Amino acid sequence: MELDALYQEVILDHYKHPQHKGLVPTYDAQVHHVNPSCGDETTLNISLDNGSIKSISWDGVGCSISQASVSIMSDLMIGKSVKDAEVILNSFVDLMQSKGLKSGDPQILEDGVSMAGVSKFPARIKCALLGWMAYKDAVLSASSK
Ligand code: ZN
């Protein structure tokens, strides 16, 4: 199977079976982010516990890339320390800014590497980053409490 086709399958799988979708009622911070150029939206709840990410839940609408990316992000971040999560976040942002030149480190990004091809399409990068920027905002807000 072609790598691109495999990646598309990973993205579609997260889109059809989103992880951690459905907002939990208790949280330390809630954010709402939109990507007006595509119509993607996500609301994200986060809870921290002793410097680690205890839970992330989200709800949203939008294109398959945006929704799959939030699913992949939440799956990766839950249970990690905020410090480790920052490494993952920076790695994903770096991948999205690579203009198709990087393939991503699967040790760090796991399913996130399936988004590598998106970096070739400037109009879609915001779709892929929506959930990650929501995470960044939410963790900052939760940490300052
Ligand atoms: Zn989109």
Side-chain angles (χ1 to χ4, degrees), residues 27-30 46 48 138-145:
Y27 51 83
D28 295 334
Q30 179 175 73
I46 194 166
L48 303 181
V139 80
L140 260 178
S141 166
S143 303
S144 65
K145 277 183 181 163

Side-chain angles (χ1 to χ4, degrees), residues 35 37-40 61-67 123-124 126-128 130:
N35 170 26
S37 61
C38 182
D40 309 319
V61 290
C63 68
S64 55
I65 289 172
S66 70
Q67 303 299 296
R124 308 312 301 276
K126 280 187 181 165
C127 301
L130 177 76

